[in-house]
């Protein structure tokens, strides 16, 4: 049975995403995002599941940096999970004096804690699941966790659907070494990272290569390259699949201009179908290529 | 004496930035970033000091959203501070069993705590300064704080320059209602927010307006507009001052294309001088405008 490494420990949002994306596989928790990616690069796991962006906090920089460096990995699937926390306590606890969780989770439920557990001290744990373990051990009274933790630990659910921002979502990727892509569905996302010198117009030129081929951008993150001041990496997500003519043509144009790494084409979790610019369908590209060939052959003009 | 609202409480990195940007003014701590901006909008403070971006964590979304909404505010100055924490303890403490700080600060010193205080429990406080107060009160043994807190509280410095990422920096803005801009220095930054429909090529067109006028982009953040699905705001920082011809010309071109809000022109904290595209100096623009006028007058062709 194939192994799927994920950013653990067990009982976190990433485990929930991994269960959805790789049902029935052996899930192996890793301590950090880089460790999950390394497991795939070393062949110790077939694929890795990691978070890539949160609608409130923005991109997960450890994942972006990890995909841009070392040997290439590509996203073959994605999952979108609402960031709703569950608050767990031991059945024997009457008064909640301490609430533990990961610092980022505590930051996302701060208003809820102030309203509902104003007397409790918030304690930082290494993960939402580690907080649940500490509550099981009697170390703290309550834990702010992913919903999946309620199935993992023998704790009582004090509250569900807890979130200061009600429509927060996190997107997760299932990553594998380069290989055959998932089939195009018409509702696909393609991701790349393009590295270019800090030069006037560099980004405008890259985006124009996409726009002129009728490709709609869905996300852009600019990250400085560590230890290489003045150089930026642009993480671009756009509609379409590398198997489609307009996407392949655009990737070739970008490759001429700068350093490009392909990060995968896969179906969108939200199922939104691509808008294809007029004159940018596969048959438009095929017709135009045939015409150029005919011109070269002296058959048309 | 004029009042400067800042994202408090006292003893935080933002107070350090406010001291640098508004030396000698009365500094008034506000509990949240929106509250600091509101104080200026209501005329209760002359200006506000807030963080805008961190080199590790990315943009401060509360500041970006707060600048895009409600009545306009413009940045008149900026400060760049290294994110190095100081660990404070009471003089009488022998063994450190608890370390308190803001959840984001705890996340940024996690490796340091694991190496240096592996036995201590990390406790989340509402701010780095609140953690210092709690240590003064004997509630916890140590606090992870901004360096300025060592001058504010009667505590002993256990460690300085603490940071898992050694070159992390935060940029802060000093914001005022619209009015006269600071004088151009040749090393200026101009910031805008442009809102546009999610349409193929929209961003490429905006960036091309800047690039074609020889304007170098320094930052781009794309943020979805809350409650208006499919619409994005682009926060753009670029070199140059609105008083310069190429910047004014580009802003007018963007204004024709989309909803633009000016967020200020001010000297860069790092002093990096603008690269002005060849053929994009003020005299290039003046010569070209004179020529068009002469053509219209029938004097030249």
């Amino acid at each position: 049975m194939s192994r799927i490494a994920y950013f653990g420990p067990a009982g976190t949002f990433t485990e929930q995403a991994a269960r959805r994306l790789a049902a029935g596989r052996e899930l192996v928790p890793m301590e950090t995002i880089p460790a999950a990616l390394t497991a795939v690069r070393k062949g110790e796991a077939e694929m890795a599941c990691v978070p890539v962006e949160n609608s409130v906090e923005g991109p997960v920089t450890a994942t972006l940096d990890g995909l841009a460096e070392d040997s290439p990995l590509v996203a073959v699937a994605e999952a979108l999970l609402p960031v709703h926390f569950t608050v767990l306590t031991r059945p024997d606890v009457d008064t909640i004096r301490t609430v533990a969780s990961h610092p980022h989770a505590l930051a996302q439920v701060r208003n809820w804690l102030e309203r509902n557990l104003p007397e409790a001290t918030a304690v930082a744990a290494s993960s939402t699941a580690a907080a649940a373990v500490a509550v099981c051990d009697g170390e703290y009274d309550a834990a702010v966790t992913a919903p999946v933790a309620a199935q993992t630990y023998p704790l009582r659910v004090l509250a569900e659907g807890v979130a200061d921002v009600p429509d927060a979502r996190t997107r997760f990727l299932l990553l594998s070494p380069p290989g055959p892509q998932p089939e195009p569905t018409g509702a696909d996302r393609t991701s790349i990272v393009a590295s270019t010198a800090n030069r006037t117009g560099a980004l405008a030129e890259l985006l124009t290569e996409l726009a002129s081929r009728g490709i709609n951008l869905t996300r852009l993150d600019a990250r400085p390259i560590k230890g290489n001041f003045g150089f930026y990496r642009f993480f671009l997500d756009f509609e379409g699949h590398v198997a489609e003519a307009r996407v392949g043509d655009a990737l070739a144009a970008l490759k001429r201009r700068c350093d490009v790494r392909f990060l995968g084409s896969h179906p969108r979790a939200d199922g939104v179908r691509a808008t294809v610019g007029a004159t940018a369908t596969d048959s438009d590209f095929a017709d135009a290529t045939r015409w150029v060939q005919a011109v070269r052959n002296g058959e048309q003009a």
Side-chain angles (χ1 to χ4, degrees), chain A residues 26-254:
Chain A
E26 183 193 355
L27 302 181
V28 185
M30 307 299 292
E31 209 170 299
T32 62
I33 288 172
L37 305 185
T38 299
V40 180
R41 287 180 171 129
K42 287 191 170 169
E44 294 161 6
E46 191 196 356
M47 295 194 274
C49 182
V50 296
V52 64
E53 62 168 334
N54 175 279
S55 60
V56 178
E57 310 249 333
V60 179
T61 55
T63 296
L64 296 187
D65 291 344
L67 288 174
E69 284 154 23
D70 296 326
S71 63
L73 296 173
V74 297
V76 295
E78 66 175 33
L80 208 54
L81 292 190
V83 185
H84 288 171
F85 296 93
T86 295
V87 182
L88 298 175
T89 183
R90 278 189 314 284
D92 62 304
V93 171
D94 282 332
T95 309
I96 291 174
R97 293 192 180 80
T98 49
V99 182
S101 195
H102 187 272
H104 283 169
L106 291 174
Q108 289 186 48
V109 300
R110 195 184 139 191
N111 295 345
W112 187 92
L113 290 176
E114 277 178 11
R115 278 197 310 276
N116 294 277
L117 297 170
E119 303 299 320
T121 300
V123 180
S126 62
S127 70
T128 56
V133 170
V135 173
C136 291
D137 294 348
E139 214 177 323
Y140 307 117
D141 299 329
V144 177
T145 69
V148 72
Q151 301 157 40
T152 315
Y153 303 101
L155 293 170
R156 181 167 66 88
V157 173
L158 190 72
E160 286 182 303
V162 172
D164 289 351
V165 178
D167 54 355
R169 281 162 196 279
T170 301
R171 192 160 61 92
F172 298 85
L173 298 178
L174 187 64
L175 299 161
S176 83
Q181 286 90 38
E183 290 293 312
T185 65
D188 304 300
R189 192 191 308 280
T190 293
S191 305
I192 61 169
V193 51
S195 310
T196 175
N198 180 8
R199 176 178 59 73
T200 302
L203 180 59
E205 289 167 16
L206 301 188
L207 297 188
T208 299
E209 296 287 10
L210 298 173
S212 68
R213 289 169 180 85
I215 295 170
N216 194 26
L217 203 65
T218 56
R219 191 174 63 95
L220 188 162
D221 288 302
R223 296 268 309 148
I225 300 179
K226 278 179 215 151
N228 199 349
F229 191 81
F231 280 72
Y232 285 82
R233 287 199 186 106
F234 299 107
F235 291 85
L236 304 174
D237 282 5
F238 45 84
E239 295 179 354
H241 192 289
V242 67
E244 294 175 294
R246 69 190 189 291
V247 174
D249 205 56
L251 290 185
L254 294 177

Side-chain angles (χ1 to χ4, degrees), chain A residues 271-284:
Chain A
V272 173
R273 294 186 67 80
T275 38
V276 182
T279 76
T281 65
D282 279 10
S283 69
D284 290 327

